[in-house]
Amino acid sequence: MSDNEDFPSAKRYKLDETSDLEISPILTDSFQDNSIQDTKIFNDPIHGSIELHWLLVKLIDTPEFQRLRRLKQLGAAYYVFPGACHQRFEHSIGTCYLAGELLMHLCQKQPELNITTKDILCVQMAALCHDLGHGPFSHMFESVIEELRPELHWKHEHTSVQMFNYMIEKNNLMSFFAQVGLNEIDIIFVNELIFNELNGQENNQVWPYKGRDISKSFLYEIVSNKLTGVDVDKFDYFARDSYYLGTKISFEHMRFIKFYRVIKVNDGRRHLCLRDKEVKACYEIYRIRDDLHRRAYQHPVVKGIELMLREALIAANDYLFFCNAAGRCDTRLAHTIDDMYTFAQVDDNIITLIKHSHHPNMNKAKEILAKIERREIYRYIGNTHIKFTIDFKQKSSKNACQDIIKYCQFNGNEMHITPNDLVIQTVELTCGDRGEDPLQNMWFYTKMCPNTATKILKEQVSTLLPQTFREHDLRLYCKIRDQTIYSIIRCGFKEFCMAKGYTIPKGSDQWNMMSLNNGSGSESLSSIDIQRFNLKKSTTL
């Protein structure tokens, strides 16, 4: 007997396949047409067999959602980690599955919450569609829009909402929504779940949302938890990203889900609360997030490639056009976010469009992409830790580069560099919510009092926990790959850091010696200066 014979009318398939499946339904409320009460099974390397409701499959089987197959989950990290080839398509399906698992657990343990099948479908829809608004190379595209259209303050979540609504209208899905009892209020609810800041809602309001009343406030913490940052989105990408990066993590998301309870607290809202014995697992979540950022997401070479891709897209913006719904091909890349018909055409394949473009003004962008393929990536000079301030954030990068050049010791026979040859990048690395203790917004319960929410102080957990949860790296890259220039800039960057009171870059004790060995001609620092550098206490702005 084959595997499919257990389900006579069902087919099993992998995430990169599509087929119609008909097996018994997960949800049975509010259906009017029994003939379409079926689910579909996906074979996923992370979660195993994923079974999704037929209405969710209707969303998956749209061109707008299928576009996620052409967006790599980790963007430019694929250029450094060859195994990181997974797409936002499978991440979205995995997040949808975990949202359903969490809600089914709550239904079984706390039936008094009155979680309806409509609630479950809406939350799963939000989980499924939360990444529809990502552009080419994911978060890197946000920096492109920030550069080309700074007045917008664009966030991909807002476009996710727009794409979700466009997808429903374009594919005439409202009739299917009606078959399971979903209406306009439920659509609003899904929009709010995807983007909590929709319509300028503020947290100081008693209850700012329209999709569900305050008795269902915990539903807003499942897909995107703005209170603690712990949600099913992270559960999936922790497991999925570490799997494809070839790293191992100790966090077990299914165990974590089993310890969730919903408890009403003194702010009048019902929150997701965790068993007190899982408090160390909470810190583990933030530690894993920080580790993934350091190892992969914010890897110096990954960020260097992102800088080059960003420059290529900015250079190509005025010469790369997309068609709108009226058939006019005059929409520039940065304006595709204004129209979902056009935005649906934009994905990681934009690199291929640029490479094969015959427009004479596209040469700059094409040359940058060619350098990436030849692995002529911007040279990573080093980094230093700084204290984040608004003044530094607003400071011109070019001015900072000019300051660094002043400390570079060139002689008359050597080629000089300009601020345009250097790139300064600030990277935030954080273990907690907004750099604060992650537990300060989390609620817990005990075995003895499972219906009472309580706080746990960091000191009650361990005295070995960190005192700070955020740091900012200032990273320097050089576009010129010449080894002599590179060595001189490294020494200049070290002197710049010491003059500004920043920490000395890692490994910089050997930079002066390497500079001399490479015959750069730069004057080495005296032994007294080196001792002063090494003994000087690291300070911040």
Side-chain angles (χ1 to χ4, degrees), residues 67-101:
R67 168 182 171 271
L68 297 181
R69 292 182 186 271
R70 303 187 295 276
L71 294 177
K72 284 190 170 54
Q73 173 72 11
L74 298 188
Y78 176 64
Y79 284 91
V80 179
F81 301 92
C85 56
H86 55 304
Q87 320 295 334
R88 291 204 172 266
F89 178 83
E90 50 262 41
H91 162 65
S92 298
I93 292 177
T95 305
C96 174
Y97 166 74
L98 291 180
E101 290 295 295

Side-chain angles (χ1 to χ4, degrees), residues 126-156:
L128 190 67
C129 300
H130 76 284
D131 275 349
L132 288 177
H134 271 296
F137 301 97
S138 297
H139 295 286
M140 186 276 294
F141 187 68
E142 295 183 24
S143 67
V144 173
I145 300 299
E146 182 181 4
E147 172 71 20
L148 295 175
R149 304 181 67 183
E151 73 285 356
L152 287 185
H153 304 290
W154 179 72
K155 294 183 179 181
H156 77 268

Side-chain angles (χ1 to χ4, degrees), residues 7-145:
F7 300 93
S9 59
K11 298 177 183 178
R12 290 184 178 273
Y13 65 102
K14 296 181 179 180
L15 285 174
D16 59 349
E17 302 172 3
T18 57
S19 62
D20 294 329
L21 304 180
E22 296 179 359
I23 64 176
S24 57
I26 296 176
L27 307 175
T28 58
D29 295 358
S30 305
F31 285 176
Q32 298 177 8
D33 186 354
N34 293 331
S35 65
I36 56 174
Q37 294 184 34
D38 55 82
T39 60
K40 187 173 278 191
I41 298 175
F42 298 79
N43 285 338
D44 180 51
I46 307 303
H47 307 299
S49 295
I50 293 177
E51 191 173 6
L52 296 182
H53 184 269
W54 67 266
L55 184 57
L56 300 174
V57 177
K58 285 288 184 184
L59 296 175
I60 293 172
D61 292 341
T62 61
E64 292 72 30
F65 190 88
Q66 293 291 317
R67 168 182 171 271
L68 297 181
R69 292 182 186 271
R70 303 187 295 276
L71 294 177
K72 284 190 170 54
Q73 173 72 11
L74 298 188
Y78 176 64
Y79 284 91
V80 179
F81 301 92
C85 56
H86 55 304
Q87 320 295 334
R88 291 204 172 266
F89 178 83
E90 50 262 41
H91 162 65
S92 298
I93 292 177
T95 305
C96 174
Y97 166 74
L98 291 180
E101 290 295 295
L102 174 53
L103 285 167
M104 293 304 293
H105 162 74
L106 294 176
C107 284
Q108 294 172 4
K109 297 295 183 180
Q110 295 182 268
E112 69 276 9
L113 296 175
N114 296 318
I115 299 174
T116 66
T117 54
K118 290 174 59 176
D119 293 336
I120 296 176
L121 269 177
C122 287
V123 174
Q124 285 194 289
M125 280 185 197
L128 190 67
C129 300
H130 76 284
D131 275 349
L132 288 177
H134 271 296
F137 301 97
S138 297
H139 295 286
M140 186 276 294
F141 187 68
E142 295 183 24
S143 67
V144 173
I145 300 299

